Each structure stands twice: as structure tokens, then as C-alpha cells.
Amino acid sequence: MEGKKIRRIALLTSGGDAPGMNAAIRSVVRTAIYNDIQVLGIRRGYNGLIKNDFFPMDSRSVNKITAQGGTMLYTARCAEFQTPEGLQRAADNCKYLGIEGLVCIGGDGTFRGAQALSEYGVQVVGIPATIDNDIACTHYSIGFDTAANTAIDAIDKLSDTMQSHERISVVEVMGRHAGHLALYVGLSVGAAVTLIPEEPYDMQRDIIDVIREGRIHGRNHSIVIVAEGVGNTNEIVKTIEAETGVETRLTVIGHIQRGGSPSARDRVMGTRMGHYAVEALMQGQNNVIVCYRDSQLCTVDCTEALSMKKKLDGYMYRVGKEVAI
Ligand code: ATP
């Protein structure tokens, strides 16, 4: 299984944080140490790589982090890394520190950075982590399950009180460019309507008529889920209230969705993907992303992965509509 013997690797988390990143960090560190590979933790994503902000990690430095949300390595965005000078500095630092492989945990932007760095001679492997689950090459990204459960928990609580007052709840969930999270949450809470950036909607037909029809059939509380990327949520709320005559309240769940103790799924996926990433480096794989496809882990070439576009689950969208009557 092994390619050349690697003696030292580094790892970083970059872009938006996601619950389960810590499980991946722990797994990378422990798998590396198990295989006699030293590990350097890089703080604050690519910023740390440029600024040489690192520390040696051992088995004990990742004790008990699996249960914690966020990332113990911190995360940041780094504009300088997108310049040839920044990339060169990062590559020079890797060489100076004897880093023979780099694990980058994050989303599409993080992988674009990893790909760029590999062109400067650094061996890289990516691990997908984003609550949006919008990375095309993989069916699952670390953080999605916890974020969905956090949103569901909040909406269930909200529903209890909204139902007592027979109000309409409009709930904005995260998802600037993708509706996977909103769709999943909408199905889970029995939303009357779910609006996502990928699907245009007609205010009267897709929202007002559906809510009215529901009330006629005895639904005294309707939930409307809106993905952040749909925009103008305030307008949607005002129009619903004006057209239905029912008190309508907006709740923006916001960054709460990013936090919290990771679910079992995110802990296990983080651990499995971290292990797989180190083995991929040991095999000499470069410029690849660890992916979960058809219930199995695999690696996908980064360039190919970044050219893919993730399609919305059209069937799930249809199910949501058909069971909302
Ligand atoms: P999320 O979507 O969850 O926020 P992400 O990984 O997509 O995660 P980004 O902010 O898009 O987050 O990217 C993280 C970092 O990756 C950027 O701040 C930048 O340092 C680096 N990066 C992004 N695109 C490139 C690129 N084309 N070349 C070099 N580096 C890049």
C-alpha cells in the first residue's frame, strides 16, 4: 500500500468551520503517529502556512476533541494565499519545515488553494467539511448532519410556541448558494414550503396558495423554510402576512447552526476521512480529495472534482412538495 516513506505531514482547517472537523484532526494526527509520521498543526488555515504559525502535535494534543464543535486549529480566510507570492512563500515554508504532505480540511475554496499549492510542489490531500454539503465530488461533507440536527431542534422548539398561537413561521437556514441543508431540514420538520436558491418560486402559487390550502384543511401552523441564498426573507414574511391575514414571524437561525457537539455521523465520518487522507498521502496520492460515494470512501482528483457541479436532489424536492399537503 505504501509509496515513499513520509516522515512529516502538516494539517490545517480553512474556510467556514464545521462540526466534526475536530474528529478529522484527531484522526489525521493519530493515524500519522501510528505510522511513525510526525505531525505539525497549522493555525488559521493558509494564513498559518504563510506566517509559519505551527506547532508539533502528538496523540495527547488531540485528547477529547471529538465531542467539541468548531476546530482546535482555528480557521480563517486568506487573500494573500491567492497570489503567486503567497503561494510561493507557503511552499517555501513547507520545504523549510520538511513537510512532505499536507492535509487541508475545508470546502471548495480550500481545495482550490490546495490545488494551487500542489502546483508549487507540495503534496496535498483534501477532506470535505462544510455544513452546506455542496461539494460536488462527494455525497457527504463533514458538518452537514450536525447542522441539520441543530436547525431541526431549534425549529421543533419554535413550532411548539408558534402552534399555540396559530402563527406562520418563516425560518431562514444557512445556505448561500445551495439548498441541500434547507431541503433536508424542510423535510425533517414537515415544512409546508421550502425555498432554495436553485429553484425559482412563484409567491402566489408556491407559498400563499399552499398555506391557504393547508389552513382550509386544518393546519393551524405552517412552517416556511427559506435558504439564506434565496434573499429578501423580510419581503416574503410581509407578503405572507398581508395575503393570508395570519400573524407571521421570521426566525433566522444563523451561526448557531455551525456550532454544537458533532453528531455520531460527523464524528465517524471525520474519523474515517482523516484516516483515509493519511493513507492516501502514504500511497503517494497528490492533489486529491477524500470523498464519500455510494457508501464508500475513495479519492477524486482535485482538478476533476472542482470542475463538477452538485445537482440538487430533485426527488427529495418533489417529496417535500407532495407530502406538504
Ligand atoms: P466554506 O464554503 O465552507 O466557507 P471554503 O473552503 O469554500 O469553505 P473559502 O473562503 O472559499 O472557503 O476558501 C478558503 C480559503 O482558500 C481562502 O481564504 C483562500 O485562502 C483559499 N483559496 C480559495 N480559492 C483559492 C484559489 N483560487 N487559489 C488559492 N487559494 C484559494
Side-chain angles (χ1 to χ4, degrees), residues 50 78-91 113 116-117 120:
I50 288 176
C78 176
E80 196 186 342
F81 196 70
Q82 302 195 34
T83 65
E85 298 74 30
L87 282 162
Q88 188 62 61
R89 188 167 309 153
L117 190 63
Y120 286 72

Side-chain angles (χ1 to χ4, degrees), residues 14-17 46-47 76-83 87 105-114 116-117 129-132 134 176 258:
S14 155
D17 68 330
Y46 295 123
N47 280 295
R77 310 205 194 256
C78 176
E80 196 186 342
F81 196 70
Q82 302 195 34
T83 65
L87 282 162
I105 307 171
D108 276 335
T110 299
F111 302 147
R112 266 190 289 278
L117 190 63
T130 165
I131 65 163
D132 293 330
D134 60 349
R176 252 176 301 159
R258 294 184 100 105

Side-chain angles (χ1 to χ4, degrees), residues 229-263:
V230 170
N232 64 326
T233 321
N234 283 313
E235 274 315 300
I236 294 170
V237 172
K238 275 189 209 151
T239 312
I240 293 175
E241 193 162 74
E243 292 283 326
T244 62
V246 180
E247 192 180 349
T248 306
R249 292 276 177 92
L250 171 64
T251 304
V252 179
I253 303 186
H255 279 82
I256 287 171
Q257 281 157 107
R258 294 184 100 105
S261 183
S263 66

